[in-house]
Amino acid sequence: MSDIIEVAEKKFNLRFEHSTENIVELFNKLYQNHPDAQTGFKNLLKIINNAFEKRSDILKNKDLSKQLNKEESWFLNNNLCGMSLYIDRFCGTINNLQKKLDYFETLGINLLHIMPVFESPQNESDGGYAVSDFRKIDKKYGTLKNLNALEKEMKQKGMYLMLDIVLNHTSNQHAWALKAKQGEKKYQDYFYFFNDRTIPDELEKTMPEVFPQNAPGNFTYVQELNKWVMTVFHNYQWDLNYRNPAVFNEMMDTIFFYANLGVDVLRIDAPAFIWKKNNTSGQNLEEAHSILQLIKQCVSVATPGMALLAEAIVAPTEIMKYFGTGKYLAQESDFAYNATQMALQWDALGTADIQVMLAAQEQILQKPYGTTWITYTRCHDDIGLGYDDKIIGDAGFNPYEHRRFLKEYYSGSYPNTPAKGALFSVNEKTGDARISGTLASLCGLEKALEHQNENEINTAIQKIILMQAQSFFIGGLPMLFYGDEQGYTNDYSYLNDSDKSYDNRWMHRPIIRWHDAYLEKNSIQNKIFTATQKLINLRKKLNVIADKKNLTWLNISNTKIAGFLRAWDNDRVYCVFNFSNTVTSISWYTFKQNDLVPKQLFDHWHQKLYSVGHDHEMLILQPYQFLILEPK
Ligand code: GLC
């Protein structure tokens, strides 16, 4: 081991030397006019050094092994499949989660996104995204020791760990906020305070509201100080002031603390919001990108095995910038959520028309080589329809009417819609709204069960698997949301809990009832579980599915069917998806447009071999059917 550690140290020094110029450049860009810039910079260098010094030999070794394949980052691999979960709702405690590792192995999951576990006030928590102590595990989950034990066992099993850093804000119960409230100037400077409403009123003119219903406005009055503090999310989440280098350093140190816990992927929560400026939306600003680039430089030096994920759920062109631009192309975040694709799959499923989804692909395909997506159908948040009007227009629809249809369809108000969800964060001023609901309920399972209608149930299951299949094969790291693998429908118990009832996102954050229904052959849960398992296994078998920027959309003259080709060297896999409830078809010519013309295609999903027909002959697809076809 000591030889390896020597190598690790040498490499660290080289990386540090190599990156210093960038670190200086980015730090200066952000802080050169700040009176504390010099001390701030010195502290940052110390923080980077300390992070490496404190990193365990095991993690240093893991860093090296992750970098063995120079051509391809470890996280691009098709072998990876993740799941996001709330510990308390999934199984109670960290200890219990450790006992559930077999469950994930059975399903094929080898990366766990454990939703916020650090201390957060019971009543004003935003699901843990209002953190009152960045380094103390919330006692309802267990202790840091428990987390260490879990991480250790996961590592032994070859599983990866993903945690959040809630970068944009703290809880108003965080020590910094409490000290600020007691009048400590140092900590008041950690936040954005205003003596009166003059500046807030000015800023409100251009800053949108994130939660217009639950938390209107972007500022909260603090009685103890007779001042206003910036609170872009809930009024109990105080925005950190990244114009202050001390804030950056505190958070950088926290990021390293997480890295040294063994985190493999760090989910940077809400990075779009970390810089604010007059006359702007306060989102996606250049300085926010500089902060992320600076974080990336520091992490690459001291804890290079930890990949970064930017949770930027913003317009498609803006999402792309989180992979870095210009000199920092592919050097900002390694991952971003493919929120555009996720929402567009819901668009296609609701409208039985894939044209809007296709219209967006040119932009989505701009992602730089070496970076990748988190692909998903559902997560703990709502589904936003924030893709550009232009995309909808390009597909030939009226953006306003189109979105109105989707909102009605998924919230259940459209006549005879199979979906059962709800509108989230309706903005009376702009007419915007997002959508809440579980994968199963939005795909029609909840209503089908109410109707006790076998056909409807089967259709819903088919839709669930179709949605998962597309997100599993389109490229990126698929991230399941817990409960979806067993077809959990909406959970309305949140309505009886006053800490949650104001936020209908809780309807799609189920409490798992651990019984064995998912193991009972032919139960609904079992059908969904085994199909999900089969999808994961299939993905692991097909190397060409690894995200090497190797996707080409197929030209299909049928607006109900989406299809793409994944190709690398001589490997080819064609994936086609029928987003409609009708039997429909595509010409065999579909598979002849690209370089290699296959004679036979083997559908891995149904284990069926097809002979490729003449151009005028058709491949028939059943409602919501998909095929994963490999030339034979
Ligand atoms: C992120 C989280 C969301 C939370 C928000 C504020 O978007 O995913 O759940 O409400 O940040 O922290």
Side-chain angles (χ1 to χ4, degrees):
M1 193 71 153
S2 69
D3 286 355
I4 296 171
I5 297 314
E6 224 171 273
V7 175
E9 257 157 44
K10 260 192 203 139
K11 291 204 167 183
F12 164 71
N13 290 329
L14 283 176
R15 289 192 304 266
F16 212 163
E17 221 176 273
H18 176 78
S19 302
T20 307
E21 202 181 304
N22 291 340
I23 296 176
V24 171
E25 177 189 79
L26 291 162
F27 192 89
N28 279 344
K29 196 169 162 194
L30 292 158
Y31 300 118
Q32 67 181 348
N33 296 325
H34 195 282
D36 298 338
Q38 265 198 354
T39 20
F41 186 72
K42 275 195 207 137
N43 285 341
L44 178 59
L45 297 185
K46 263 191 229 150
I47 288 169
I48 299 174
N49 261 310
N50 277 344
F52 184 75
E53 256 166 47
K54 283 193 196 143
R55 195 154 179 80
S56 70
D57 289 355
I58 295 175
L59 289 176
K60 283 179 184 165
N61 195 13
K62 197 174 170 191
D63 288 341
L64 291 178
S65 59
K66 277 179 176 164
Q67 289 169 314
L68 279 181
N69 183 351
K70 289 210 166 51
E71 322 245 287
E72 192 185 308
S73 301
W74 64 273
F75 51 78
L76 298 182
N77 205 294
N78 57 303
N79 203 27
L80 292 179
C81 187
M83 181 184 277
S84 281
L85 57 90
Y86 289 99
I87 291 188
D88 51 346
R89 304 177 85 76
F90 187 76
C91 59
T93 62
I94 299 175
N95 270 343
N96 289 347
L97 188 63
Q98 197 170 337
K99 293 184 198 130
K100 289 265 178 263
L101 292 183
D102 288 354
Y103 175 78
F104 302 113
E105 284 189 312
T106 309
L107 187 58
I109 297 293
N110 48 17
L111 183 146
L112 291 185
H113 170 210
I114 300 176
M115 307 279 296
V117 278
F118 292 93
E119 195 182 80
S120 177
Q122 170 73 19
N123 53 344
E124 295 189 325
S125 146
D126 189 20
Y129 285 101
V131 182
S132 51
D133 190 329
F134 287 110
R135 300 189 187 211
K136 189 166 157 217
I137 301 285
D138 202 304
K139 58 179 183 304
K140 70 177 177 195
Y141 303 123
T143 61
L144 211 48
K145 233 172 150 183
N146 299 146
L147 186 68
N148 289 333
L150 171 71
E151 187 271 337
K152 198 166 160 209
E153 190 170 344
M154 284 175 64
K155 203 169 340 103
Q156 278 159 4
K157 288 178 176 294
M159 296 176 79
Y160 294 96
L161 175 66
M162 171 163 148
L163 291 186
D164 282 81
I165 174 90
V166 186
L167 207 62
N168 180 65
H169 43 256
T170 71
S171 151
N172 60 359
Q173 300 305 310
H174 189 284
W176 302 336
L178 296 178
K179 286 181 193 165
K181 253 195 258 182
Q182 283 156 9
E184 279 192 49
K185 165 94 172 65
K186 172 176 172 193
Y187 292 102
Q188 287 183 3
D189 289 346
Y190 275 35
F191 302 96
Y192 290 97
F193 275 104
F194 304 95
N195 290 333
D196 57 38
R197 284 288 315 185
T198 319
I199 300 173
D201 283 344
E202 200 47 40
L203 288 165
E204 285 290 14
K205 288 184 190 155
T206 52
M207 286 173 82
E209 294 168 308
V210 179
F211 299 132
Q213 280 180 309
N214 314 336
N218 288 291
F219 300 88
T220 299
Y221 182 64
V222 182
Q223 206 163 12
E224 292 88 335
L225 297 171
N226 185 25
K227 287 185 187 202
W228 294 82
V229 70
M230 187 184 286
T231 54
V232 168
F233 290 85
H234 294 99
N235 57 14
Y236 52 82
Q237 288 164 311
W238 288 14
D239 285 59
L240 283 166
N241 178 4
Y242 280 90
R243 288 167 182 268
N244 179 351
V247 168
F248 178 83
N249 282 348
E250 294 266 21
M251 295 310 279
M252 196 61 236
D253 201 38
T254 311
I255 288 173
F256 282 137
F257 175 74
Y258 293 173
N260 284 341
L261 290 177
V263 169
D264 296 288
V265 181
L266 184 72
R267 178 187 184 275
I268 301 184
D269 185 63
F273 297 86
I274 54 181
W275 198 271
K276 285 88 179 173
K277 211 191 266 179
N278 280 358
N279 300 319
T280 71
S281 63
Q283 292 180 27
N284 306 312
L285 299 180
E286 200 189 318
E287 292 85 347
H289 287 286
S290 300
I291 288 178
L292 295 176
Q293 287 157 8
L294 183 54
I295 292 174
K296 178 67 185 163
Q297 290 292 323
C298 299
V299 166
S300 307
V301 170
T303 59
M306 182 170 76
L308 302 178
L309 156 64
E311 187 252 346
I313 312 300
V314 291
T317 40
E318 294 298 337
I319 294 183
M320 207 55 71
K321 296 182 189 155
Y322 288 84
F323 291 116
T325 48
K327 178 177 168 190
Y328 295 100
L329 186 73
Q331 286 195 64
E332 191 171 319
S333 43
D334 305 293
F335 287 94
Y337 283 92
N338 201 343
T340 312
Q341 176 62 26
M342 178 278 295
L344 290 170
Q345 285 185 206
W346 287 106
D347 182 309
L349 191 75
T351 59
D353 189 314
I354 53 90
Q355 291 179 90
V356 183
M357 184 159 85
L358 275 196
Q361 297 306 325
E362 205 187 309
Q363 262 176 27
I364 295 181
L365 292 176
Q366 304 295 320
K367 178 177 64 62
Y369 184 86
T371 60
T372 193
W373 297 113
I374 294 289
T375 58
Y376 63 121
T377 54
R378 289 300 291 115
C379 69
H380 68 290
D381 281 331
D382 44 283
I383 302 170
L385 306 173
Y387 37 94
D388 308 338
D389 282 359
K390 177 158 185 325
I391 297 173
I392 304 177
D394 286 351
F397 301 104
N398 170 304
Y400 176 79
E401 291 301 330
H402 190 80
R403 285 208 183 84
R404 188 171 76 172
F405 166 76
L406 290 170
K407 284 182 276 184
E408 289 179 359
Y409 182 89
Y410 285 117
S411 63
S413 64
Y414 192 79
N416 296 325
T417 174
K420 194 166 176 184
L423 293 182
F424 173 70
S425 267
V426 179
N427 189 327
E428 302 294 348
K429 289 171 234 161
T430 60
D432 284 346
R434 285 118 70 181
I435 294 153
S436 283
T438 65
L439 173 67
S441 291
L442 295 176
C443 283
L445 187 58
E446 190 172 337
K447 281 199 181 169
L449 289 169
E450 278 164 15
H451 301 161
Q452 297 191 2
N453 181 320
E454 185 93 18
N455 278 343
E456 287 180 23
I457 292 175
N458 288 335
T459 302
I461 295 176
Q462 189 64 37
K463 284 158 80 174
I464 292 170
I465 303 306
L466 170 94
M467 289 290 279
Q468 298 292 44
Q470 195 174 36
S471 80
F472 276 45
F473 292 100
I474 201 162
L477 196 168
M479 188 67 73
L480 289 167
F481 187 58
Y482 81 103
D484 288 346
E485 81 285 9
Q486 291 191 37
Y488 268 71
T489 53
N490 293 338
D491 181 340
Y492 300 102
S493 62
Y494 78 100
L495 289 168
N496 307 322
D497 178 344
S498 60
D499 296 335
K500 301 193 168 67
S501 55
Y502 63 90
D503 186 342
N504 70 22
R505 289 178 299 174
W506 288 101
M507 76 167 55
H508 55 248
R509 300 168 178 176
I511 297 167
I512 300 299
R513 302 173 296 274
W514 284 100
H515 45 59
D516 290 339
Y518 74 96
L519 294 172
E520 283 159 22
K521 228 173 166 28
N522 290 327
S523 67
I524 294 168
Q525 292 92 327
N526 182 259
K527 284 184 187 163
I528 298 171
F529 187 85
T530 49
T532 310
Q533 192 181 39
K534 188 172 154 188
L535 280 176
I536 299 175
N537 287 336
L538 181 53
R539 195 187 124 83
K540 289 184 182 177
K541 268 206 279 183
L542 302 170
N543 292 337
V544 71
I545 299 305
D547 185 9
K548 294 179 177 159
K549 210 169 155 59
N550 55 340
L551 178 141
T552 313
W553 284 86
L554 299 172
N555 237 324
I556 300 177
S557 44
N558 180 337
T559 57
K560 299 185 175 83
I561 300 184
F564 48 75
L565 165 66
R566 305 295 312 275
W568 192 254
D569 291 338
N570 288 326
D571 288 347
R572 300 283 177 278
V573 170
Y574 298 86
C575 307
V576 287
F577 307 85
N578 176 7
F579 274 90
S580 79
N581 200 10
T582 47
V583 178
T584 185
S585 61
I586 48 176
S587 152
W588 283 107
Y589 176 68
T590 308
F591 307 101
K592 301 177 191 170
Q593 302 161 28
N594 301 83
D595 51 351
L596 301 180
V597 176
K599 289 205 169 53
Q600 288 187 314
L601 288 168
F602 179 70
D603 173 21
H604 282 281
W605 188 247
H606 304 89
Q607 299 281 302
K608 187 174 165 187
L609 187 66
Y610 291 91
S611 291
V612 175
H614 296 291
D615 295 357
H616 64 273
E617 291 174 325
M618 305 301 268
L619 167 65
I620 313 279
L621 276 90
Q622 299 302 313
Y624 303 117
Q625 189 184 8
F626 66 89
L627 306 171
I628 308 296
L629 299 159
E630 194 179 11
K632 284 286 165 214

